[in-house]
Amino acid sequence: MLVMLLSEVNNEKVVKVVAIDTGNIAKQRLLALGIHPNDILQVVSNPSFGPVLIKNLSKDNARIAIGRGIAQKIKVENVN
Amino acid sequence: MPELQLGEVSLKKSKSKTSIKSIALVGQPNSGKSTLFNALSDVKVSTANFAGTTVEYKETVINLFGSDVHIIDLPGIYSLNPSEPAEFVTLNYLLDNSIDLIINVIDSTFITRSLELTIELTELGIPMLIALNMTDEAQKKGIDINTEELERLLNVPTVKISALYRKGITELLEKIETQLFISPKTPTQQKFTFHIEQVLNRIKESFEIASQNHIDKRFYTIKVLENPSLIKNKLEITNSNKIKLAIDEIISQHQIPAYEIFESERHHRSMEISHKVTIYAHSSKLTFIDKLDLLFLKPFSGYFFAIFFFATYFFLIFSAGGWIGSLFEQPLSELSKLFEPLKDKTLLGWFIVDGIYQGISGAIGIVLPYFLPLLFLTSILEETGYMARIAYLMDTIFHRIGLHGKSVASFVMGFGCTVPAVYATRIIESKRDRLLASVLINFIPCSARLTVIFALTTALTGPLWTIVIFLYILIAIAVTSKILSTFLPKPIGLIMEIPPLRLPSFKIILKKTYYKILEFFKVAFPFLVLGSLALSILDYFNFTKTMNSLFEPFISNILGLPKELGTPLVFGFLRKELAVFMTSQAFGVNNLSNIPLTIPQVVSFLIFIVFYLPCVSTSAVFWKEFGWKHLLTTVVLGFLLSTISALFFRITLTTIF
C-alpha cells in the first residue's frame, strides 16, 4: 500500500492513519482530539495553502483542522 | 421524596459551605455544558475567576429536593492530560476541591471520541452521571445510544437530554438526587492490559498523596507513569527507583512513550464501548446545513461569506448604534437643561454636576449604543460556531504574519473590548503565541476607539478616511506582528476542532450580552464618570491649560496637533471613548463638526489614539496575565508605533493637502 503524507491527499479521498511523526505536544493534542493511528480519515478540504480539514470517519465524523506543517508529518495510506 | 418540579429549582444563598453538596459539569468543548448549566440554574448565576488565573467559570447554588446544591460549570476539556491553560484549570479544580458528583456532558453526535474523556473521568473514582446531550440532533443523524448498556458497562447512570430544548431535565434531576442523596454509585474502573495492571499494582505503594482527598489513588498511580510532571506537586515519591524501573519496563515492552500507551489503551476501550452502545442507522446524507457549511469552509467561497458576514456585522453595529444613540439624544439634552440655572448660583457646583453629567451621557449616549449591538452579534458568531470557521479560514494569513489561527476569535473580540479579548487568548496552547496575540490585540481598535474613529471621521473627514484608517491599522498590526515574530521561536501548528454549525439559544445570547453589559457598568462606567468629573474640576481651576502646555512640545511639534488635544489624550488612558467628548469639551464646542481640526490633523490624531496606550483596565489585566515587564514592553511598543504612524500621516498628508 502506498504511504503518503496527509498534506498530499486530494479532496474527498479516504485514508488510514499509518503514523503520527509530529513532536510530542502536537501528538498529544491530536490524540486528545481523537486522531489515532489506524483511524480512517476523509479529507474535506485540502487547498494548496493553509490548514487541511479532515473528517474522522472512525470518530463520529468529527471535523478537525490540521495546520499544513503538522499534516506534513502525518503518514497515511489509501483505502477504498 | 418531595415532589419533583422544575419550578422548585430556585436559587438560594448557601448558608454553610461545608455541608453543601457539590456538582461539577465536565465535558469536551462545545458539548453544551453551559446550556445545561443554564437549564439547571436559570435563576441567577455568579461568574468569577479562578484564583490566580483569569479563566472564567460559572457557579450557582440551587435548591434541589429541599437541600442546597452547589453547581460549577468548568471550562471545556478534551482530556485529563491537558494542553491548553483553560484545561489545566479544570483538572486542578477536580483534584483540589471536594466534589460529590461529576456530570459528564457528552455531545451525543460525538459519542465515540467523548467516551475517552469519560474513561479518564472514571479513573478519579468520584460518583458520576452521564448526560447525553443533543440527543435529538444525534437521532437526526441516525445515531442511537443504548443508555442501559452504557450504564451497565461503566456503572454510571446515564440520561438522554437536550439541554437547548429542555428535554430530559426532569429525569436528569431524579438521577442527580439518587447519586447525591440516596445511593451514590462509583464508576467501574476500566482495566488496562494485564501487564500494565501488574505494573500499576507494583508501584502503588511507592508514593504518598500529599494531601489525602477524595480522588482514587489509582488515578495518581496511572498519572505517575503516564504524565508525572502533571501531578508532581501533589505527591511525595517514596521509592523513585521502583517507579523509574516500572516506566522503563513498559516503555521497553511497547517501544513508545508511556503517555501514548495509556492513551491508546483508553482509546481502544472507548471504541469497544462505543461499538457496544451505539446503533448507527444508514443515513449519512448531507443535510442542507452540512452543504452550506462546506461553502463556509472551502477557500474562496468561505472568504466570500466571511467578508459578507463581517460587512453585515459592522453595518448592523453602526446602523443599530446610530439609531439607539439617537433615542438617548433628546432625553440627555433635556437633562442638561435641568442644572443650567446652577451656573449663576455656584460656578464650581455647575462644573461638578456638568462633569458627572458628561460622564454619564458619554457612557449612555456614545458608548452603550454601539457596545450593545456589538456584544449581541459577537455572541451570535460564537454560539453558532461560525467563529471557528473564521479561525480556520484566517489561519493561512495569520500563519504568514507569525500568528496562530486560534487567535482569530480574540482579534474579533478585540473590536469589542480588549479586556475579554486578552482573556480569550487562553485557548491558545503555547505561551509564545498567546503573548504575541495579546500584545497585538492592544492595537485592534476596541468599541471605544471605534466610536472615536466613527464619530470624528463622520463629523470631520467623511467615510473614505474611515476606510484609510482601518486599512492602515490592519497593515500596521500585520507588519508589527511579522517583526515581533522574527524575534520569537516558530509557532506550533494549528490543531483545532471545527464544531458543527448550531442554532444558538436566543436566551443564552441574551444572557451573555447582559452579563457583558453589566460588567461594563461595573468596571468601566465608574472610570468614565470619575474621569469626566476630574477633568471638569481641573478645568474649573484652569489646570487643563497647565497640562496642555506640559504636553505641548510633543503634541504640537511632533504630532502637529493643537495643544488642546493634550487633555483628551491623557484622559484617554482612563477610557478611550472619553477622547471624543473631551475633544469637543477641550475646544468648547457642542457639535463635533465644529472642532477646528484639518483632515491631516484628524487622521494623525485618530491613528495616534488607537495605538498609543492600553487603557487602565487592559493594563491591569495584562499585568496580571503576563507580568509588568511584558506590560512595559507593550506600552513602549504602542507609543513607538503610534508616534511613527502619526508622524507618517502628518508628513504624507500635509504634502498632499
Side-chain angles (χ1 to χ4, degrees):
Chain A
M1 201 66 89
L2 180 70
V3 174
M4 54 195 160
L5 303 174
L6 182 61
S7 55
E8 306 165 340
V9 182
N10 291 332
N11 285 354
E12 314 279 308
K13 282 271 183 299
V14 177
V15 292
K16 187 164 114 178
V17 179
V18 177
I20 300 174
D21 296 333
T22 62
N24 271 348
I25 299 172
K27 191 168 195 170
Q28 255 184 316
R29 188 84 192 140
L30 285 167
L31 294 176
L33 280 139
I35 296 182
H36 291 257
N38 294 323
D39 277 4
I40 307 291
L41 312 179
Q42 183 176 25
V43 172
V44 177
S45 170
N46 185 2
S48 42
F49 52 86
V52 182
L53 182 63
I54 61 103
K55 192 152 100 173
N56 190 342
L57 301 185
S58 311
K59 301 283 160 52
D60 326 291
N61 298 338
R63 279 181 307 180
I64 314 285
I66 302 173
R68 189 145 290 270
I70 291 171
Q72 282 162 350
K73 291 181 193 125
I74 300 177
K75 290 203 182 99
V76 295
E77 62 182 25
N78 255 316
V79 291
N80 307 318
Chain B
M1 191 173 99
E3 222 178 43
L4 186 80
Q5 263 186 337
L6 262 181
E8 257 186 322
V9 181
S10 63
L11 179 95
K12 268 193 186 168
K13 274 267 162 268
S14 59
K15 284 165 210 121
S16 61
K17 272 264 180 208
T18 42
S19 65
I20 189 168
K21 297 269 188 188
S22 185
I23 300 176
L25 298 185
V26 183
Q28 297 199 330
N30 310 305
S31 55
K33 269 183 308 91
S34 306
T35 319
L36 176 61
F37 181 80
N38 262 297
L40 287 176
S41 62
D42 219 356
V43 189
K44 198 187 158 199
V45 178
S46 61
T47 48
N49 288 334
F50 285 104
T53 75
T54 44
V55 175
E56 208 175 60
Y57 66 93
K58 295 201 187 71
E59 58 181 341
T60 191
V61 175
I62 63 169
N63 191 288
L64 276 183
F65 319 102
S67 319
D68 283 347
V69 175
H70 172 248
I71 302 182
I72 178 159
D73 179 14
L74 291 168
I77 182 167
Y78 282 109
S79 149
L80 288 188
N81 292 306
S83 49
E84 290 176 2
E87 292 184 331
F88 279 98
V89 167
T90 299
L91 177 71
N92 285 327
Y93 189 91
L94 289 173
L95 297 184
D96 299 339
N97 292 275
S98 153
I99 294 162
D100 301 286
L101 176 64
I102 292 175
I103 299 183
N104 178 202
V105 185
I106 289 179
D107 175 349
S108 306
T109 62
F110 291 127
I111 173 82
T112 312
R113 188 190 64 193
S114 309
L115 282 173
E116 254 177 88
L117 175 63
T118 308
I119 290 175
E120 288 190 271
L121 289 172
T122 61
E123 288 165 9
L124 295 169
I126 300 170
M128 282 173 66
L129 213 157
I130 294 174
L132 290 171
N133 196 12
M134 306 182 197
T135 328
D136 37 358
E137 208 175 309
Q139 266 158 4
K140 269 186 217 148
K141 287 194 173 168
I143 302 166
D144 195 22
I145 299 163
N146 183 343
T147 49
E148 289 87 28
E149 182 65 7
L150 187 58
E151 196 163 333
R152 194 185 64 76
L153 289 169
L154 298 174
N155 200 34
V156 175
T158 306
V159 198
K160 283 183 185 170
I161 62 162
S162 169
L164 185 58
Y165 300 107
R166 311 270 160 124
K167 280 186 210 154
I169 304 294
T170 316
E171 200 193 333
L172 179 72
L173 288 172
E174 280 169 7
K175 302 245 174 179
I176 291 176
E177 188 191 23
T178 317
Q179 276 295 68
L180 272 187
F181 302 110
I182 301 171
S183 56
K185 283 186 189 173
T186 318
T188 311
Q189 293 292 333
Q190 303 301 303
K191 291 276 182 266
F192 295 104
T193 327
F194 180 65
H195 78 266
I196 290 179
E197 288 295 334
Q198 274 184 316
V199 174
L200 288 174
N201 234 337
R202 213 183 310 143
I203 61 153
K204 70 180 179 203
E205 303 305 332
S206 309
F207 66 92
E208 296 292 330
I209 303 165
S211 60
Q212 183 47 48
N213 55 15
H214 58 303
I215 304 289
D216 194 328
K217 192 167 185 188
R218 180 182 160 88
F219 171 81
Y220 289 106
T221 319
I222 295 167
K223 283 289 178 266
V224 162
L225 301 176
E226 184 189 15
N227 201 342
S229 60
L230 197 66
I231 36 104
K232 63 170 186 280
N233 303 332
K234 301 190 193 321
L235 301 182
E236 256 170 62
I237 308 280
T238 48
N239 192 342
S240 57
N241 206 30
K242 210 167 181 178
I243 293 174
K244 204 185 160 300
L245 281 175
I247 295 176
D248 290 346
E249 184 188 320
I250 57 169
I251 290 177
S252 76
Q253 273 172 350
H254 289 258
Q255 297 297 326
I256 47 172
Y259 77 86
E260 263 188 83
I261 300 164
F262 285 95
E263 283 270 4
S264 84
E265 290 260 333
R266 287 192 199 101
H267 173 230
H268 285 128
R269 184 68 187 135
S270 69
M271 293 290 271
E272 222 173 81
I273 296 174
S274 168
H275 283 302
K276 280 186 186 153
V277 303
T278 322
I279 305 135
Y280 287 97
H282 290 287
S283 74
S284 59
K285 249 179 70 187
L286 284 181
T287 61
F288 171 70
I289 294 284
D290 290 336
K291 283 181 193 154
L292 189 69
D293 196 16
L294 272 183
L295 286 178
F296 289 167
L297 282 163
K298 295 250 180 181
F300 307 117
S301 62
Y303 293 120
F304 172 79
F305 277 109
I307 292 168
F308 171 75
F309 282 132
F310 272 90
T312 317
Y313 173 79
F314 283 111
F315 172 76
L316 284 177
I317 290 168
F318 289 101
S319 48
W323 178 72
I324 299 170
S326 71
L327 292 181
F328 289 117
E329 215 168 288
Q330 184 68 21
L332 282 174
S333 75
E334 289 292 323
L335 192 65
S336 74
K337 281 181 197 142
L338 287 179
F339 58 87
E340 200 58 32
L342 204 64
K343 215 172 188 171
D344 303 324
K345 282 186 207 148
T346 151
L347 196 59
L348 177 62
W350 182 82
F351 264 94
I352 290 173
V353 176
D354 189 57
I356 295 170
Y357 163 78
Q358 294 284 358
I360 294 172
S361 79
I364 294 176
I366 300 175
V367 188
L368 193 66
Y370 294 96
F371 211 41
L372 204 68
L374 182 130
L375 291 175
F376 182 74
L377 291 175
T378 312
S379 306
I380 293 181
L381 287 184
E382 281 170 12
E383 289 294 307
T384 49
Y386 188 71
M387 206 66 106
R389 274 120 193 109
I390 295 287
Y392 166 72
L393 286 173
M394 295 295 287
D395 184 64
T396 318
I397 301 167
F398 270 53
H399 220 79
R400 228 155 260 183
I401 59 168
L403 280 166
H404 196 283
K406 270 195 179 174
S407 26
V408 176
S410 318
F411 275 76
V412 173
M413 231 180 259
F415 285 106
C417 180
T418 316
V419 174
V422 171
Y423 287 160
T425 59
R426 284 198 154 255
I427 60 161
I428 303 169
E429 298 104 84
S430 114
K431 176 128 194 249
R432 171 239 181 248
D433 294 345
R434 240 198 106 199
L435 184 63
L436 183 58
S438 306
V439 169
L440 294 171
I441 282 166
N442 280 302
F443 304 142
I444 300 262
C446 60
S447 59
R449 284 172 278 177
L450 287 177
T451 316
V452 182
I453 297 175
F454 278 91
L456 289 184
T457 51
T458 314
L460 299 166
T461 66
L464 185 68
W465 288 104
T466 326
I467 298 169
V468 173
I469 290 170
F470 264 99
L471 283 180
Y472 179 79
I473 291 170
L474 294 182
I475 293 168
I477 291 172
V479 172
T480 315
S481 170
K482 188 77 205 170
I483 294 170
L484 287 181
S485 63
T486 53
F487 295 107
L488 297 164
K490 270 194 80 166
I492 302 166
L494 176 88
I495 304 170
M496 186 183 73
E497 182 175 10
I498 310 287
L501 280 183
R502 286 206 165 107
L503 206 65
S505 147
F506 188 64
K507 216 170 175 177
I508 288 189
I509 289 171
L510 282 186
K511 264 192 185 168
K512 260 188 151 172
T513 314
Y514 169 73
Y515 283 122
K516 287 192 180 141
I517 291 284
L518 207 66
E519 211 179 302
F520 166 76
F521 275 100
K522 266 196 250 163
V523 180
F525 190 72
F527 276 114
L528 267 167
V529 177
L530 286 177
S532 170
L533 178 63
L535 181 70
S536 198
I537 292 172
L538 290 177
D539 203 19
Y540 176 79
F541 291 109
N542 268 334
F543 186 74
T544 43
K545 287 218 174 70
T546 326
M547 196 144 77
N548 285 340
S549 36
L550 195 70
F551 290 102
E552 189 179 359
F554 177 73
I555 289 170
S556 354
N557 299 343
I558 298 180
L559 303 180
L561 297 170
K563 63 172 184 188
E564 283 82 359
L565 289 176
T567 358
L569 284 178
V570 170
F571 279 86
F573 174 63
L574 292 179
R575 286 291 293 180
K576 303 237 176 174
E577 63 273 13
L578 282 175
V580 185
F581 70 90
M582 289 210 174
T583 308
S584 50
Q585 212 181 351
F587 288 110
V589 292
N590 299 327
N591 197 318
L592 287 181
S593 49
N594 293 338
I595 294 174
L597 287 176
T598 62
I599 288 180
Q601 282 178 327
V602 174
V603 176
S604 352
F605 176 62
L606 286 176
I607 295 279
F608 188 79
I609 222 164
V610 167
F611 295 142
Y612 81 118
L613 261 185
C615 70
V616 175
S617 346
T618 308
S619 306
V621 170
F622 212 87
W623 188 329
K624 219 167 113 195
E625 291 282 292
F626 301 105
W628 65 271
K629 274 185 195 159
H630 289 303
L631 173 64
L632 196 68
T633 320
T634 313
V635 169
V636 172
L637 191 72
F639 194 73
L640 280 177
L641 181 63
S642 60
T643 313
I644 294 168
S645 306
L647 262 178
F648 167 74
F649 272 94
R650 182 191 174 191
I651 294 164
T652 37
L653 292 184
T654 36
T655 50
I656 298 170
F657 280 85

